[in-house]
Amino acid sequence: MTDATASAPPRHRSQRQEVWRQFRSHKGAMAGLVIFVVILLGVTIGPWLWGLDATLVDIRSRNLGPSLAHPFGTDQLGRDLLARILSGGRVSLAVGLTAMLLSLALGTFVGVVAGFFERLDGALMRLTDLFLALPLLPLLLVMVMLFREPLSRSFGPENGIFLLMVTAIGLTSWMNTARIVRGDVLAIKNREFIMAAKSIGTEPSAMIRRHILPNVLSPILVSATLGIATAIITESSLSFLGLGFPPDFPTWGRLLYDAVDQIQLFPIRVILPGVAIALTVLSVNYIGDGLRDAMDLRARKR
Amino acid sequence: MLTFTIRRLLVAIPTLLFISLIIFLLLDLAPGDPLANMPLTIPPDVRENMRAALGLDQPVWIRYALWLKQFFWVEPLNILDSILGTSLAGDGQRVLSWQTRSPVADIIAQRMPQTLWVVGLAYVVGVLIAIPIGIISAYKQYSVFDQAGTFVSMIGYSVPPFFTGVLVIIIFSVNLGWFPSIYDTTLQVNSWATFKQQLIQMVMPVMVLALQTTAQISRFMRASMLDNLRQDYVRTARAKGLRERTVLMAHVARNSMIPVVTVIALGVPSIFGGAIITEQVFKVNGIGQLMITSIQSNDIPMVQTLTFIFAVLIVLANLIADILYGLLDPRIRYD
């Protein structure tokens, strides 16, 4: 390890390059990354390129098969399916990414505080255990049922539900991040460089910012990828149960839910959003797998 | 072992109380009103009296205590009564569903068998498939079988059950016509033909749920086997001339099962949660479907009870997992 860093002149850049090199050698992770970037680009610039409105009702061209004008066909109200999938993906991914950021922030905060301040460790970890013992899906359903009306009244139907989804998913998925981060902080806390920093009088806040956080970045990144995957699955599950976004505001889960009734006649309408969800989650999970392998120092030494 | 068990039990009680408080407070904020269905012609003072009779004018903590009493004292006694035919419960106020006006416990008792059949069988099938897969994957690490197993379990993790469920409906029910897409809960099993029909309609939901279980458990089994295969005692066992089969099955697999058993115990409640979605896909009217319908119709007592049952299941599974771990591996005990 020391030889490698000594021979490569700028240490910071070489470490990042090393992770990237390791990551690139993981075939599944690279495939996942390519697919995820394609999906991300598709849902961000796709609706703008495709131009058709996802909510435009054209009752005369309903239930059409695939054609040049509508590559995926149209639904029972004549809305273009490709446009609906693209804009649905935009919502699904936005919910997934925002909820992941929230849960990551919460989890990292709890984990770092619990690991760094011994006095708070017991209480915070008991809280984490309690949250892990909560029945999450039933509670999410209950939260949606209770707060859907008031929130959509005060923030508008779309923003209200978005806010509710993101908060609900974020509040119920931070526990694993907190546990992993706490473990890593505890391990780092006893290393020499922390003692050295303490001996020159580094304040706790500066210590966390400058020395602890950069060193627990890799488990945080890995749990970020897993967080996106679970958030997307949770959002689409709730939408599938009819307790997610309103019908005129498509997400992948909602599109699937709306199409299930006509599964015998138009199976393609179920398969498309389902494949979109599955592909996204699968690619994100493979990215996480590759990141874990690339950043695991012990695995790299072997 | 006894002190360990007792200590675990004592820890479980405050956990359960805390969770019940969260569930109670959360649902206390609900906009629903038990008097909403009463005629509007009832004068306001009578309405007030009715609210008082239902205990709705009491402070929150008194209502919470009364709810706890209902849940932990009156309902268990009633359940005992219906099993033994006694009348221990007397006429204590029971938890009534706002939707059907009948005791919540009775409705749940009607729905429970469907869920237990489908979910329970799926879990058993999933575990039975997962363990051999885990053993072979670890023994033949990086082989084609191992790679395929990794890929299949990645799919099991990533593809949500509402999509796998719909997919198997399209394949096996719409295109091939092998299995019915809707689970018929009115079916009475009383002859060979109905038994066969029951089996056929259970295949798809069990398949979907088992894929999830298999994905998780087979990964755990593989990791645990890999840890054990590198241990010194395996080399010793081989060195003293045991057959490879004996080494693998009697020594490595047995020791690797210890953490896996706790994972299996911990997974039981999550499979009930997953059943909420699977039941919705195949229209099984179990407790998951009951949960969804009562949420849609704002039936607060039913939602409260069901959520709390899920919570009790989780705490119970944690408890069983801890105790099992202590029983199987004496090094773990903290007494």
Side-chain angles (χ1 to χ4, degrees), chain B residues 120-141:
Chain B
L121 192 72
Y123 204 57
V124 173
V125 169
V127 169
L128 286 182
I129 298 174
I131 286 175
I133 290 181
I135 294 176
I136 301 173
S137 295
Y139 191 64
K140 303 242 153 89
Q141 200 186 359

Side-chain angles (χ1 to χ4, degrees), chain A residues 129-130 132-135, chain B residues 8-9 11-20 265-266 269 308-323:
Chain A
D129 286 346
L130 280 176
L132 279 172
L134 289 173
Chain B
R8 285 281 121 170
L9 269 173
V11 172
I13 292 169
T15 312
L16 269 183
L17 282 178
F18 174 79
I19 293 171
S20 69
L266 285 176
F308 195 55
I309 286 178
F310 282 117
V312 171
L313 277 174
I314 294 179
V315 173
L316 216 63
N318 278 318
L319 194 74
I320 291 172
D322 273 356
I323 293 172

